[in-house]
Amino acid sequence: MSEVLAPSAGAVLPMTACVDEVFAQQLVGPGLVLDPPDGETTVVAPIAGTVMKVHPHAFVVVGEGAGVLVHLGINTVKLEGAGFAVHVEQGATVAAGDPMITWDPAALPGEVAGQAISRQVPVVVLDVPADSLDLSAAPTEVVAGDLLFRLA
């Protein structure tokens, strides 16, 4: 795996801009954050590989040498799947760009169970050290399927 594609459209932000401190501090891993536009959209696989985990609000695809986590919104686990349509099963083999989950960031509530909900979409490379990716050539805006960054 050398290329990670944008799983959705949106403005591209550094991981430090994530409203979730765990992601912002790269405790899960390095990567970027997308701020998706309003409207129903289908999020796509950022790499080719095996779907190691899928929840309505997040998924992990493991390809050659690394795994990529895509988390649709912050604190969206508390929605218990409401507002998400999953198109893939755990264990499936996917190609980069395959449809994974459909959602509408504009339809998210402002908060659930006293916790603020954010539309931000962290795209995280797992099992690599924080600050180990060269993200200097990352675009500022993407559509789903655009090159987001390359792995060394």
Side-chain angles (χ1 to χ4, degrees):
M1 171 180 55
S2 61
E3 295 184 341
V4 175
L5 305 182
S8 74
V12 179
L13 306 170
M15 192 60 79
T16 55
C18 188
V19 298
D20 183 289
E21 286 299 312
V22 172
F23 286 116
Q25 294 178 20
Q26 301 182 47
L27 298 177
V28 181
L32 294 168
V33 176
L34 300 177
D35 185 12
D38 288 349
E40 186 173 286
T41 185
T42 297
V43 177
V44 301
I47 62 171
T50 301
V51 179
M52 295 305 291
K53 201 61 144 173
V54 65
H55 298 284
H57 65 282
F59 59 89
V60 173
V61 177
V62 175
E64 287 183 33
V68 177
L69 164 68
V70 177
H71 203 283
L72 305 179
I74 302 300
N75 291 328
T76 48
V77 66
K78 299 195 178 303
L79 298 173
E80 299 179 349
F84 299 92
V86 178
H87 306 296
V88 65
E89 294 182 8
Q90 192 165 305
T93 299
V94 294
D98 279 357
M100 301 294 285
I101 297 172
T102 298
W103 73 319
D104 183 349
L108 295 174
E111 71 173 49
V112 171
Q115 290 194 311
I117 301 289
S118 168
R119 65 173 53 215
Q120 288 187 337
V121 177
V123 181
V124 181
V125 179
L126 304 172
D127 301 322
V128 298
D131 296 320
S132 64
L133 301 177
D134 179 4
L135 302 170
S136 61
T140 57
E141 289 278 338
V142 290
V143 297
D146 281 357
L147 176 63
L148 190 56
F149 56 85
R150 294 181 196 283
L151 299 175

